[in-house]
Amino acid sequence: MATWKTLLLQDSASPLMEQLAYFHNHTLMILVIITVLVGQLMITLFFNKLSYRFLLEGQVIEIVWTILPAVTLIFIALPSLKLLYILDEVNNPLLTVKSIGHQWYWSYEYSDFKSIEFDSYMIPVNSMKPYNFRLLDVDNRLILPFQTQIRLLVTAADVIHSWTIPSLGVKIDATPGRLNQVSFALSRTGLFYGQCSEICGANHSFMPIVVESISPKYFYKWVSDTAEA
């Protein structure tokens, strides 16, 4: 999760987030090069007393400063479009989970198994344990197996919410009367925190999301125990 000293993106916990981080670094490198180049040109113009008498109506330089930005945009657009299609791709999921946003909590349904559904509320401050994170921990976590292709169906029961886990690179709107879907795979075990990212009312800041990634073996055991209970 993000801490007070986190300046950049959170550590990735899915292949999608890794690709987003690569694209972020790629774009940032291009922006730094442009900023340094333009800064150097501006400093040169400010401190250089010489003037170039052929600068006005120069067809060559106009062609150059039109083509170079176009080429730069192509280098940004191509990886961006590729990544956009990868994020929207949902292929052969091994597990489907439905998430429903409410004011102000989340409920989850495991569509592949019978009678596994529960609500997930934020733990109040007066009920927290010493190891809980304030405003981030919930009473019932979303349990998912790692290294498994997961499809998440997202909707809402009242107003628009947004199901977001930054370390997974997942942010999807929960819209009443509509099912949105996203696919992701967890690359490691751990606890991953998120929050509703769409202003949905007075308690918008108090409906966190916690994903607990465990091994498939323990996930099947959890499913068996939960279904029997």
Side-chain angles (χ1 to χ4, degrees):
M1 63 171 291
T3 62
W4 63 271
K5 62 181 179 179
T6 302
L7 299 178
L8 298 177
L9 302 175
Q10 295 185 24
D11 293 338
S12 63
S14 71
L16 291 180
M17 188 57 195
E18 289 181 9
Q19 293 300 317
L20 285 170
Y22 291 150
F23 176 70
H24 170 267
N25 296 338
H26 168 78
T27 308
L28 201 61
M29 180 190 69
I30 294 176
L31 292 178
V32 168
I33 293 174
I34 293 174
T35 303
V36 171
L37 178 61
V38 172
Q40 191 268 338
L41 290 175
M42 291 181 65
I43 291 173
T44 302
L45 289 174
F46 279 127
F47 293 98
N48 190 354
K49 297 181 180 180
L50 301 176
S51 60
Y52 184 52
R53 62 194 182 98
F54 297 110
L55 181 64
L56 297 178
E57 298 183 5
Q59 298 297 322
V60 175
I61 193 171
E62 289 183 5
I63 293 174
V64 169
W65 68 38
T66 301
I67 292 179
L68 283 182
V71 173
T72 304
L73 290 176
I74 290 174
F75 276 99
I76 296 176
L78 291 181
S80 175
L81 291 173
K82 179 183 177 181
L83 186 58
L84 186 64
Y85 281 101
I86 291 175
L87 292 173
D88 288 338
E89 194 71 29
V90 180
N91 278 333
N92 302 321
L94 297 177
L95 176 66
T96 298
V97 180
K98 185 178 181 181
S99 175
I100 305 172
H102 303 266
Q103 289 181 311
W104 286 272
Y105 65 96
W106 296 94
S107 60
Y108 298 101
E109 301 174 5
Y110 288 77
S111 307
D112 299 324
F113 309 102
K114 294 182 179 179
S115 68
I116 299 184
E117 54 184 66
F118 53 86
D119 297 330
S120 180
Y121 289 87
M122 186 190 75
I123 299 177
V125 175
N126 55 6
S127 302
M128 290 174 56
K129 305 294 184 184
Y131 52 80
N132 290 136
F133 292 105
R134 179 178 174 272
L135 303 183
L136 281 178
D137 263 311
V138 296
D139 53 359
N140 292 310
R141 298 166 179 164
L142 177 60
I143 310 295
L144 296 175
F146 77 102
Q147 294 183 348
T148 302
Q149 195 67 28
I150 298 164
R151 177 176 62 176
L152 182 72
L153 303 177
V154 182
T155 187
D158 34 51
V159 298
I160 299 177
H161 302 275
S162 183
W163 198 92
T164 306
I165 299 287
S167 58
L168 300 181
V170 175
K171 183 180 185 295
I172 181 169
D173 284 342
T175 308
R178 176 176 177 177
L179 273 179
N180 292 328
Q181 69 174 0
V182 66
S183 179
F184 61 90
L186 296 149
S187 56
R188 55 189 171 90
T189 59
L191 294 177
F192 308 109
Y193 296 86
Q195 291 176 304
C196 176
S197 298
E198 190 77 40
I199 296 177
C200 55
N203 292 332
H204 158 69
S205 301
F206 306 104
M207 50 183 300
I209 306 159
V210 181
V211 172
E212 182 175 354
S213 174
I214 60 178
S215 70
K217 175 183 175 181
Y218 288 109
F219 176 76
Y220 297 142
K221 185 178 185 302
W222 175 82
V223 167
S224 301
D225 295 342
T226 306
E228 291 175 0

